[in-house]
Amino acid sequence: MSQKLFTYAEVAEHSTKKDLYVVVHDKVYNVSSFVDEHPGGEEVLVDVAGQDSTEAFEDVGHSDEAREILDGLEVGVLNRQPGDPVPKASKPASQSANSSSGGAGVGVGLYAVLVIGGALAFGAYKYLEMQKEKQV
C-alpha cells in the first residue's frame, strides 16, 4: 500500500483546531483528534498547524509514548517542492538521541567549568595567603 503524498500547500490548508495537520520529519500527521488531549495544551499544536513542526517537536524531547501516538496519526508523506520551507531540525530523533556531538558538548562544558573553578580556587588561596602575610 503506497502512502498518500501531500504538498506543503495541501498541508497548509489544514490549519484549524478542528482540521489540523502537521509535518514532522517529512511525514504528515492529522492531529485534529489529539488537540484537546495534548499535554502541552491545544495552543502548542494550533501554533504549528499546517506547518513543518519538526524543530518544535524535537526541541521538546517527546517521549517514546508520544512518538507512538504520533505514528498512529500519520496520514501520508510530504512531497517537498522547490520553494517549500525547509525544516531547521533535519535529524530524526533516533539520530539525535544517539549523536555523540551532544555528549561532546557536555564534556567540553564540564571541562570548562572545572578549569574555571580551579582558577577561582587558586585565586582565593593566593588572596588568603596574602591576607595572612599582612597580619604577621
Side-chain angles (χ1 to χ4, degrees), residues 91 93-111:
K91 289 191 275 188
S94 59
Q95 269 186 325
S96 61
N98 297 329
S99 174
S100 61
S101 64
V106 171
V108 171
L110 182 58
Y111 181 76

Side-chain angles (χ1 to χ4, degrees), residues 34-46:
F34 189 68
V35 172
D36 292 328
E37 299 170 35
H38 188 262
E42 69 182 50
E43 61 279 348
V44 175
L45 291 176
V46 173

Side-chain angles (χ1 to χ4, degrees), residues 5-134:
L5 293 178
F6 288 88
T7 64
Y8 197 83
E10 289 173 327
V11 172
E13 292 173 4
H14 302 273
S15 59
T16 65
K17 180 182 172 185
K18 296 196 182 294
D19 180 26
L20 200 157
Y21 283 18
V22 295
V23 175
V24 178
H25 297 296
D26 287 345
K27 292 183 179 179
V28 180
Y29 301 94
N30 180 350
V31 296
S32 308
S33 63
F34 189 68
V35 172
D36 292 328
E37 299 170 35
H38 188 262
E42 69 182 50
E43 61 279 348
V44 175
L45 291 176
V46 173
D47 284 347
V48 295
Q51 302 174 36
D52 190 322
S53 59
T54 302
E55 181 179 22
F57 183 82
E58 293 301 342
D59 283 351
V60 172
H62 284 88
S63 66
D64 290 339
E65 181 181 359
R67 292 175 190 281
E68 288 175 17
I69 291 170
L70 191 63
D71 286 342
L73 300 173
E74 185 177 341
V75 292
V77 177
L78 183 65
N79 183 17
R80 289 198 181 271
Q81 305 292 317
D84 284 351
V86 179
K88 293 177 186 167
S90 59
K91 289 191 275 188
S94 59
Q95 269 186 325
S96 61
N98 297 329
S99 174
S100 61
S101 64
V106 171
V108 171
L110 182 58
Y111 181 76
V113 167
L114 290 173
V115 169
I116 292 169
L120 288 173
F122 179 76
Y125 172 77
K126 285 298 197 179
Y127 175 78
L128 291 174
E129 286 292 339
M130 285 176 30
Q131 294 298 322
K132 196 186 270 187
E133 287 179 11
K134 287 182 181 179

